[in-house]
């Protein structure tokens, strides 16, 4: 074989060897890529599984974690103790009132009707169920609704809800005046109620002791479908500003209560709302949609 032929053969052999080496390297690279993709996919799957496990554990822990009891004023009744009762616990009729401390219509209602309502409660004819809401603070700047509601809860704690409630509405500022946002004003008004002007009441107001309870009462109101205050129900039937076609007046309220109580035994367990009472009533469980003023 000639020298040139030998050189050509060596060149071909070198090229073939180079191609094979390149092919081997390509195959090796592809194999590495496949392994890498598998590891990445596997890692992602494991991460997803791990995240799912973590979420599942957190959710389960949340489900099994007991709710922290919300502080409620003494004697509060109803679901989550959101209602302040006033009057005999065994009274045959229930007057349900939703009202906001800053609500002008609530103030007008209370100034006209509180003497009649107090009398009906003292006679054992009705129990008042008060839902103290605080939605006006959302529309009008200030904290008067919330602070006023908290102060009423503090008065309930001290056994003076009714008297302080009446004082608050008799001294109610105009809706745009956030006087009740000043805790000192609320504390000063307590001086008009015998036995309420105490360090305990002052501390309760200043620390906003029942702020969480006030928020919960408002959230409950948001779910009722009622749009304004006062909303007033007699045994679940809306009576403000009218009971069917008949306008509410103190005289008519007495007439309606007497008609509802006909043949029933009047309550005798006290008038401060502190005595045992059922957590709910049929009248409040099946409230129809109200016609609120």
């Amino acid at each position: 074989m000639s020298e040139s032929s030998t050189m050509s053969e060596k060149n071909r052999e070198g090229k073939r060897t180079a191609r094979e080496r390149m092919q081997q390297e390509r195959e090796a690279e592809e194999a590495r890529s496949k392994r890498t993709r598998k590891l990445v996919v596997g890692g992602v799957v494991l991460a997803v599984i791990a995240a799912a496990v973590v979420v599942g554990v957190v959710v389960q822990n949340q489900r099994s974690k007991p709710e922290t009891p919300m502080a409620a004023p003494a004697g509060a009744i109803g679901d989550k103790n959101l209602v302040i009762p006033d009057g005999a616990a065994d009274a045959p009729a229930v007057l349900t009132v939703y009202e906001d401390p800053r609500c002008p219509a609530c103030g007008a209602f209370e100034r006209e009707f509180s003497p009649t309502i107090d009398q009906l409660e003292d006679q054992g004819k009705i129990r008042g169920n008060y839902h103290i809401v605080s939605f006006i603070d959302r529309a009008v700047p200030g904290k008067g609704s919330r602070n006023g509601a908290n102060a009423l809860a503090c008065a309930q704690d001290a056994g003076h809800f009714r008297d302080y409630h009446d004082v608050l509405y008799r001294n109610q500022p105009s809706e745009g005046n956030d006087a009740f946002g000043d805790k000192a004003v609320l504390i000063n008004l307590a001086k008009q109620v015998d036995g309420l002007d105490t360090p305990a009441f002052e501390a309760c107001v200043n620390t906003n002791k029942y702020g969480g309870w006030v928020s919960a009462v408002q959230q409950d109101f948001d779910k009722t479908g009622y749009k304004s205050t006062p909303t007033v129900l007699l045994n679940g039937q809306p009576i403000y500003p009218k009971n069917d076609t008949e306008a509410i007046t103190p005289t008519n309220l007495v007439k309606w209560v007497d008609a509802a109580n006909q043949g029933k035994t009047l309550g005798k367990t006290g008038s401060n709302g502190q005595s045992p009472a059922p957590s709910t009533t049929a009248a409040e469980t099946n409230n129809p949609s109200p016609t609120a003023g």
Side-chain angles (χ1 to χ4, degrees):
M1 180 179 294
S2 64
E3 187 176 345
S4 60
S5 297
T6 300
M7 290 293 293
S8 296
E9 183 64 25
K10 288 181 179 179
N11 288 338
R12 285 195 294 272
E13 181 65 24
K15 291 179 179 178
R16 183 168 58 250
T17 301
R19 285 196 298 270
E20 290 174 352
R21 188 166 56 250
M22 290 174 62
Q23 180 64 29
Q24 289 171 355
E25 291 176 353
R26 186 180 299 113
E27 290 173 354
E29 179 63 28
E30 290 176 354
R32 284 195 297 270
S33 297
K34 288 180 180 179
R35 286 196 300 272
T36 301
R37 284 196 297 271
K38 287 180 180 179
L39 289 172
V40 170
V41 171
V44 170
V45 171
L46 288 174
V48 170
I49 292 173
V53 170
V54 170
V55 170
V57 170
V58 170
V59 170
Q60 184 60 37
N61 286 341
Q62 290 296 327
R63 286 176 178 172
S64 60
K65 184 179 179 181
E67 290 186 6
T68 302
M70 178 186 61
I77 64 171
D79 184 31
K80 298 181 181 179
N81 295 323
L82 301 180
V83 180
I84 293 180
D86 190 37
D90 58 350
V94 176
L95 186 74
T96 303
V97 182
Y98 292 84
E99 56 189 8
D100 186 312
R102 291 183 77 178
C103 163
C106 298
F109 171 80
E110 287 296 341
R111 287 187 290 274
E112 181 178 3
F113 287 91
S114 63
T116 302
I117 293 173
D118 291 350
Q119 183 181 46
L120 290 169
E121 289 177 348
D122 290 343
Q123 292 170 342
K125 293 182 177 182
I126 63 171
R127 181 181 79 228
N129 277 3
Y130 289 88
H131 301 248
I132 310 300
V133 303
S134 51
F135 70 97
I136 290 180
D137 283 351
R138 296 173 178 173
V140 182
K143 298 180 179 180
S145 294
R146 287 168 290 174
N147 287 356
N150 177 71
L152 283 165
C154 295
Q156 168 67 9
D157 240 9
H160 294 290
F161 170 78
R162 178 199 290 184
D163 291 338
Y164 186 69
H165 169 272
D166 291 352
V167 166
L168 215 60
Y169 280 107
R170 284 199 301 267
N171 292 273
Q172 185 189 54
S174 62
E175 185 178 37
N177 180 349
D178 192 38
F180 286 172
D182 185 348
K183 295 175 181 177
V185 170
L186 297 168
I187 292 169
N188 189 57
L189 286 172
K191 295 177 181 179
Q192 299 183 34
V193 178
D194 289 341
L196 183 58
D197 183 22
T198 64
F201 176 79
E202 184 173 344
C204 183
V205 172
N206 280 330
T207 61
N208 196 35
K209 180 178 179 179
Y210 294 114
W213 179 85
V214 170
S215 296
V217 174
Q218 178 56 46
Q219 290 167 11
D220 182 67
F221 179 70
D222 290 337
K223 297 174 184 177
T224 63
Y226 303 135
K227 301 300 182 183
S228 61
T229 53
T231 290
V232 185
L233 315 168
L234 178 60
N235 293 336
Q237 173 65 34
I239 60 171
Y240 179 90
K242 291 182 178 182
N243 182 3
D244 291 330
T245 59
E246 199 170 16
I248 188 172
T249 64
T251 300
N252 280 344
L253 178 59
V254 172
K255 181 181 71 173
W256 300 336
V257 169
D258 286 343
N261 289 346
Q262 189 171 8
K264 299 178 181 178
T265 302
L266 302 185
K268 294 182 175 63
T269 58
S271 61
N272 63 358
Q274 301 293 326
S275 53
S279 60
T280 56
T281 65
E284 288 208 309
T285 302
N286 301 302
N287 285 342
S289 299
T291 303

